[in-house]
Amino acid sequence: MHRVTLIPGDGIGPEITEAVKEVFSSAKAPIEWDVVQAGESALKTEGDLLPLKTLQSLSLNKVALKGPITTPIGTGFRSVNVSLRQKFNLFACVRPYKNMPGVSSRYENVDIVVVRENTEDLYRGIEFAPGSPEVAMITEMSKGLIATDAAVSIKSISATASRSIAKYAFDYAKANGRKKVTASAKANIMKFTDGLFYESVRSIAKNYPEIEYNEVLVDALCMKLVQDPVEFDVLLLPNLYGDIVSDLVAGLVGGLGMAPGANIGSKMAIFEATHGSAPDIAGKNMANPAGLLLSATMMLEYLGEVDIAKRIETALYTVLNDGKYVTKDLNPNGVSTTEMTKAIVAAL
Ligand code: NAI
């Protein structure tokens, strides 16, 4: 039995984590859930976005399944997701996206893994408000290139973190029979930061002669992805570009409701879907549980429970292929979250 931290999260989070619990229980997955809160729900009940109890549970169990968390825009709160990734050094965000049976998409044979650096870049959170002493100092240092009424954010890219994520991507490619790694950034404009990213990745790529390596500027990558996604295999990106490109690739294979993900460090892993808390459909029993369910099967594989992971995936694919008992993001005449969950349980 594996004890795993479960964070239901905000918005659609509780609905889709409930779905995963139900499927896991029917599949007799050997998981004991340690349920704790984070995000808006934790702020309401415990007065803290990221309570100590939650951090203790994560430190103890070292593996977690997490629902999405709402991050209030433009207020003083830092993102709970970003804090968790930095606090536990979950440096690798891994998101496998491929066409699934019965899920309509403009493309066929897409099978792309986005590997995103998860701890630094503009998401480091070094940001200053207009008129702050820091902005005045930066304005002074930049010889007036930055206006004093500007808000300023600092992009910090290190060779250490870039090499770590590159090593992760190449090891992943090797272990999973992947043929090619494509690094992507904007090094023609961001010469020092993205330049250092490329330079660091190249220093690792040369140790993996069996894996093809190339670089594509991130704007060109977006165009090439929508023109011919099949030419890509593993994509390796710094944090911000990785965040944006992840959603783009999710859109190529059926949308955010289907997109899984994992945040992996050397000692801990938190599994979560790519999507957010979807406030527009929260509480309406409409959310597609597949993204979180596939993240949960990634978690089972990480824990060595490969057979049960495969059984659950097969059950999900059966339901998707049938196309009737799926949520409305996949079929306008589709069913609710709970009905889709029941169909997955029946398929098991
Ligand atoms: P979102 O991913 O929550 O929603 C974007 C669109 O996709 C919406 O139309 C939504 O209804 C749809 N969608 C998302 N998940 C779905 C699902 N499972 N089934 C069916 N449709 C689904 O992105 P948005 O609206 O930009 O962000 C909402 C909140 O989520 C924000 O506070 C944001 O900061 C937070 N967020 C949290 C993440 C996390 O906890 N890992 C990741 C991304 C955003």
Side-chain angles (χ1 to χ4, degrees), residues 321-335:
N321 203 18
D322 178 47
K324 210 162 144 201
Y325 295 98
V326 295
T327 42
K328 290 192 168 46
D329 54 316
L330 299 180
N331 173 357
N333 302 315
V335 297

Side-chain angles (χ1 to χ4, degrees), residues 12 66 68-71 81 256-257 272 275-281 288:
I12 59 171
K66 182 187 145 297
I69 287 175
T70 302
T71 301
N81 297 315
L256 276 174
E272 63 178 339
H275 62 75
S277 55
D280 52 340
I281 56 166
N288 186 344

Side-chain angles (χ1 to χ4, degrees), residues 27-51:
K28 300 203 169 27
I31 301 292
E32 185 192 341
W33 301 110
D34 180 15
V35 183
V36 289
Q37 303 297 329
E40 277 186 337
S41 51
L43 189 65
K44 271 188 207 128
T45 54
E46 302 177 43
D48 193 347
L49 280 171
L50 195 48

Side-chain angles (χ1 to χ4, degrees), residues 57-293:
S57 167
L58 289 166
S59 302
L60 200 70
N61 298 324
K62 300 196 165 38
V63 179
L65 182 68
K66 182 187 145 297
I69 287 175
T70 302
T71 301
I73 294 173
T75 67
F77 292 122
R78 287 204 61 198
S79 159
V80 170
N81 297 315
V82 173
S83 302
L84 282 174
R85 290 164 195 165
Q86 288 174 357
K87 202 170 192 68
F88 294 111
N89 194 23
L90 304 172
F91 66 93
C93 180
V94 185
R95 291 167 166 176
Y97 301 123
K98 59 178 178 186
N99 288 116
M100 272 173 263
V103 179
S104 75
S105 152
R106 288 189 173 82
Y107 308 91
E108 278 171 25
N109 303 321
V110 178
D111 185 1
I112 295 174
V113 180
V114 177
V115 176
R116 158 188 168 195
E117 201 291 321
N118 223 6
T119 60
E120 54 176 19
D121 194 354
L122 280 162
Y123 284 13
R124 189 74 230 177
I126 315 167
E127 246 194 320
F128 308 110
S132 66
E134 291 85 358
V135 169
M137 194 181 78
I138 294 165
T139 307
E140 179 71 26
M141 279 167 58
S142 65
K143 302 194 174 66
L145 280 173
I146 295 171
T148 39
D149 63 352
V152 172
S153 188
I154 292 179
K155 172 168 167 130
S156 160
I157 300 272
S158 71
T160 306
S162 303
R163 281 199 291 260
S164 296
I165 195 65
K167 183 167 183 320
Y168 185 92
F170 280 95
D171 284 342
Y172 180 98
K174 210 170 152 179
N176 292 280
R178 298 273 170 173
K179 304 269 178 292
K180 184 163 95 173
V181 172
T182 302
S184 184
K186 192 73 188 163
N188 53 336
I189 308 288
M190 308 270 166
K191 292 187 194 306
F192 290 113
T193 48
D194 288 355
L196 180 60
F197 180 76
Y198 273 171
E199 202 182 298
S200 310
V201 176
R202 279 177 210 145
S203 74
I204 299 295
K206 67 176 176 7
N207 303 328
Y208 297 81
E210 68 279 34
I211 311 269
E212 187 188 336
Y213 171 67
N214 69 341
E215 293 163 2
V216 180
L217 293 175
V218 70
D219 42 356
L221 176 73
C222 292
M223 185 201 64
K224 285 175 185 237
L225 277 169
V226 295
Q227 276 188 333
D228 184 17
V230 178
E231 77 169 84
F232 295 100
D233 190 345
V234 174
L235 296 179
L236 169 59
L237 302 107
N239 207 341
L240 173 63
Y241 308 135
D243 192 5
I244 297 166
V245 169
S246 289
D247 279 28
L248 192 161
V249 182
L252 300 178
V253 294
L256 276 174
M258 304 295 307
N263 303 289
I264 304 208
S266 51
K267 297 198 183 84
M268 190 193 287
I270 300 182
F271 295 80
E272 63 178 339
T274 303
H275 62 75
S277 55
D280 52 340
I281 56 166
K284 295 183 180 163
N285 202 11
M286 282 173 73
N288 186 344
L292 191 68
L293 188 59

